[in-house]
């Protein structure tokens, strides 16, 4: 369990040190529209940062992540319904129309194509369910991806991060049966010194229909 404590401490301290406000922004956009006792799927739950505020607000969180170490970290924080699954593989391990809401705050930057996630969110959520998520933001003229150097990844490898424009996101919502509700842009810092930054945007949408 010492290793799990180290994982939690590293990720959570990095998030705090770099000013990662994605979870707070997502919660702020959503909290007025959810109720205690409802269910929420955290897609790529990590150490639970994205949905811990909803857990504290009384929602029942179902978490999914590829890493067993991350799921162990979530258990240490009080999450109990956790599933190990590769997010790039569909279907996800949940029944159709079985969960009220969904959240995804730290995953979309690793996906060039978000279609499968939207498809599964539509399948899993009840009609009227909310889907709140965070993307790396870009204009239509900006590059679709950026390379994050080793000085920021804290490893020996660079990482490709994908950015998604408002046109892309609105198109995905329409294609997969969601209607936009609210969105908010905010700054993400890539290092503790807060000298390297990028824009992010959180979107809140509602499932309108199934996929035709």
């Amino acid at each position: 369990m010492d290793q799990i404590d180290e994982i939690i401490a590293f990720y959570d301290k990095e998030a705090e040190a770099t000013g990662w406000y994605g979870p707070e922004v997502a919660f702020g956009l959503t909290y007025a529209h959810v109720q205690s006792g409802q269910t929420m799927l955290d897609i790529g739950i990590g150490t639970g940062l994205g949905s811990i505020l909803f857990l504290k607000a009384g929602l029942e969180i179902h978490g999914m992540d590829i890493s067993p170490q991350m799921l162990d970290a979530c258990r240490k924080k009080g999450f109990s319904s956790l599933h190990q699954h590769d997010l790039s593989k569909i279907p996800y391990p949940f029944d159709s129309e079985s969960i009220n809401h969904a959240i995804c705050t730290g995953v979309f930057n690793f996906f060039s194509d978000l279609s499968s996630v939207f498809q599964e969110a539509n399948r899993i959520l009840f009609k009227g369910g909310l889907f709140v998520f965070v993307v790396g933001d870009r204009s239509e003229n900006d590059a679709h991806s950026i390379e994050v150097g080793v000085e920021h990844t804290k490893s020996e490898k660079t990482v490709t991060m994908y950015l998604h424009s408002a046109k892309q996101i609105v198109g995905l919502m329409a294609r997969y049966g969601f209607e936009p509700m609210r969105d908010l842009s905010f700054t993400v810092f890539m290092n503790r010194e807060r000298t390297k930054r990028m824009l992010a945007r959180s979107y809140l949408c509602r499932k309108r229909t199934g996929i035709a």
Side-chain angles (χ1 to χ4, degrees), residues 89-102:
K89 308 296 183 183
I90 59 173
Y92 294 161
F94 300 92
D95 292 336
S96 298
E97 297 188 340
S98 60
I99 293 180
N100 293 114
H101 312 298

Side-chain angles (χ1 to χ4, degrees), residues 21 30 35 37 40 55 86-87 102 109 117 119 127-128 141 146 151 159 173 185 190 192 199-200 206 209 211:
Y21 302 123
T30 311
Q35 299 177 10
M40 173 174 275
L55 182 68
D86 182 345
L87 304 184
N109 52 301
V117 184
Q119 176 181 322
K127 184 177 180 180
N141 296 323
I146 59 174
E151 69 276 17
V159 173
M173 290 181 190
S185 177
M190 308 298 290
R192 286 173 172 251
L199 283 180
R206 186 188 305 274
T209 62
I211 303 172

Side-chain angles (χ1 to χ4, degrees), residues 31-184:
Y31 79 94
H33 307 281
V34 299
Q35 299 177 10
S36 176
Q38 290 182 326
T39 53
M40 173 174 275
L41 172 61
D42 190 333
I43 302 171
I45 191 170
T47 65
L49 286 176
S51 53
I52 189 69
L53 293 175
F54 292 98
L55 182 68
K56 291 180 177 180
L59 277 76
E60 178 185 330
I61 306 299
H62 299 270
M64 180 173 59
D65 203 281
I66 193 173
S67 168
Q69 291 82 10
M70 291 297 183
L71 297 179
D72 285 340
C74 288
R75 291 186 184 94
K76 293 276 286 185
K77 292 183 177 180
F79 294 92
S80 57
S81 178
L82 300 169
H83 303 261
Q84 185 179 353
H85 189 81
D86 182 345
L87 304 184
S88 67
K89 308 296 183 183
I90 59 173
Y92 294 161
F94 300 92
D95 292 336
S96 298
E97 297 188 340
S98 60
I99 293 180
N100 293 114
H101 312 298
I103 184 171
C104 186
T105 60
V107 172
F108 280 178
N109 52 301
F110 298 112
F111 281 77
S112 175
D113 183 357
L114 304 177
S115 298
S116 61
V117 184
F118 273 84
Q119 176 181 322
E120 282 299 278
N122 177 284
R123 180 184 66 80
I124 293 167
L125 295 184
F126 293 119
K127 184 177 180 180
L130 305 178
F131 185 21
V132 61
F133 54 89
V134 175
V135 299
D137 199 16
R138 71 178 181 90
S139 71
E140 289 301 310
N141 296 323
D142 290 337
H144 182 45
S145 64
I146 59 174
E147 294 297 318
V148 180
V150 295
E151 69 276 17
H152 303 306
T153 64
K154 308 299 182 183
S155 70
E156 297 179 355
K157 297 181 179 180
T158 60
V159 173
T160 300
M161 294 184 65
Y162 297 97
L163 312 177
H164 302 278
S165 69
K167 182 178 180 180
Q168 283 180 298
I169 297 301
V170 171
L172 285 165
M173 290 181 190
R175 179 180 177 185
Y176 291 102
F178 290 92
E179 58 183 359
M181 294 177 63
R182 308 171 69 189
D183 65 89
L184 184 67

Side-chain angles (χ1 to χ4, degrees), residues 188-205:
V188 174
F189 294 98
M190 308 298 290
N191 58 352
R192 286 173 172 251
E193 297 75 24
R194 304 193 182 189
T195 57
K196 176 72 172 180
R197 66 182 66 195
M198 61 177 283
L199 283 180
R201 186 174 294 272
S202 184
Y203 292 86
L204 175 66
C205 58

